[in-house]
Amino acid sequence: MLSCPVVGTVVEKEVRAYDVETEAQDVESRAGGRGTAGGRRWSGRSPPGERLTGGGARPAAPSAEPEGPALSVDTTTGRKAIDPHIYGINFADEALAKELRLPVRRWGGNATTRYNYKLDAYNAGADWYFENLYYENGTADLPNGSEADKFVEQNRRTGTDTVLTVPMSGWTTAARNAACGFSIATYGPQKANDAQWRPDCGNGVKTDGTNVTGNDPPRPASPPVRSSPRAGWSI
């Protein structure tokens, strides 16, 4: 094992060699070398002031950061009850709502924006090729027995409050059919279509990237509402 004096000697020699090397490169450093330390060039190696001295001494360590103030939080004061209505689920099924004693259940999302309670149907808008879609709840007693009615009835059985979207965009569904707003047969080829289910239904954008015109919004499938949908809708 090497003794401390030998280690010190090795370091001293290395420092002296470093000094000789950098002295010889002063001209180069002044001409645009990568860095200087005390007028001497250094590159990829610590400047002399950062290296071990002959006695093995190291630069002084920076002083520690001062500690911040001591803080404490009393979790027993200022407590308030959490409103149970923040714990809700969108379209939760009845078994789950009953198991969880669900406080609130939401009828909302893309399928409710253009919902027509009289037809128990909706238009998907730009979310899915402006297609008309409808629920299979029968039509004899509509609007009674609609999907919206069944939604509220389930909530009553499980003691759950209802958050229900009332369409207010000004557009709704025209009929319980498979129509869509941008038929390819009518408006020509488009950049995308519902190839899996209704190939004739396009996205309203021509193959050159411009929008289909003359049908904005797509009235055949989603006409404007002439009166407030809230007027006759009471649950």
Side-chain angles (χ1 to χ4, degrees), residues 11-223:
V11 173
E12 288 174 351
K13 290 180 179 179
E14 185 177 357
V15 172
R16 285 196 296 272
Y18 176 89
D19 287 345
V20 172
E21 176 188 352
T22 53
E23 286 288 357
Q25 295 171 339
D26 275 348
V27 175
E28 182 181 349
S29 67
R30 288 192 295 271
R34 284 183 288 177
T36 61
R40 295 172 180 173
R41 182 178 181 276
W42 58 274
S43 172
R45 302 170 64 178
S46 300
E50 296 182 4
R51 299 175 66 83
L52 291 176
T53 64
R58 296 180 181 276
S63 59
E65 293 290 334
E67 294 185 1
L71 301 177
S72 63
V73 178
D74 187 351
T75 59
T76 64
T77 62
R79 298 170 67 97
K80 296 182 180 180
I82 298 175
D83 190 319
H85 290 93
I86 72 168
Y87 301 108
I89 298 178
N90 201 44
F91 291 105
D93 63 54
E94 187 165 357
L96 179 60
K98 185 176 181 180
E99 178 184 357
L100 298 177
R101 293 178 293 176
L102 190 65
V104 63
R105 181 166 167 256
R106 174 177 176 258
W107 163 282
N110 299 339
T112 65
T113 302
R114 301 187 186 196
Y115 177 72
N116 187 324
Y117 78 96
K118 293 180 179 180
L119 300 174
D120 201 23
Y122 65 94
N123 184 275
D127 297 306
W128 199 256
Y129 304 103
F130 299 89
E131 295 178 9
N132 281 352
L133 301 159
Y134 53 88
Y135 296 99
E136 297 288 357
N137 290 314
T139 59
D141 297 324
L142 288 176
N144 296 324
S146 67
E147 193 72 10
D149 281 2
K150 292 168 65 176
F151 183 90
V152 176
E153 289 166 1
Q154 174 187 310
N155 289 348
R156 288 173 175 169
R157 290 193 297 269
T158 59
T160 301
D161 290 336
T162 298
V163 173
L164 188 140
T165 299
V166 176
M168 299 179 66
S169 67
W171 304 90
T172 188
T173 310
R176 290 175 60 87
N177 57 24
C180 54
F182 295 101
S183 165
I184 292 176
T186 302
Y187 297 102
Q190 296 167 46
K191 292 197 73 173
N193 71 311
D194 185 2
Q196 183 176 5
W197 304 108
R198 301 181 188 176
D200 184 52
C201 296
N203 68 342
V205 181
K206 297 179 181 180
T207 54
D208 62 2
T210 61
N211 293 331
V212 172
T213 58
N215 189 21
D216 183 23
R219 295 171 184 268
S222 187

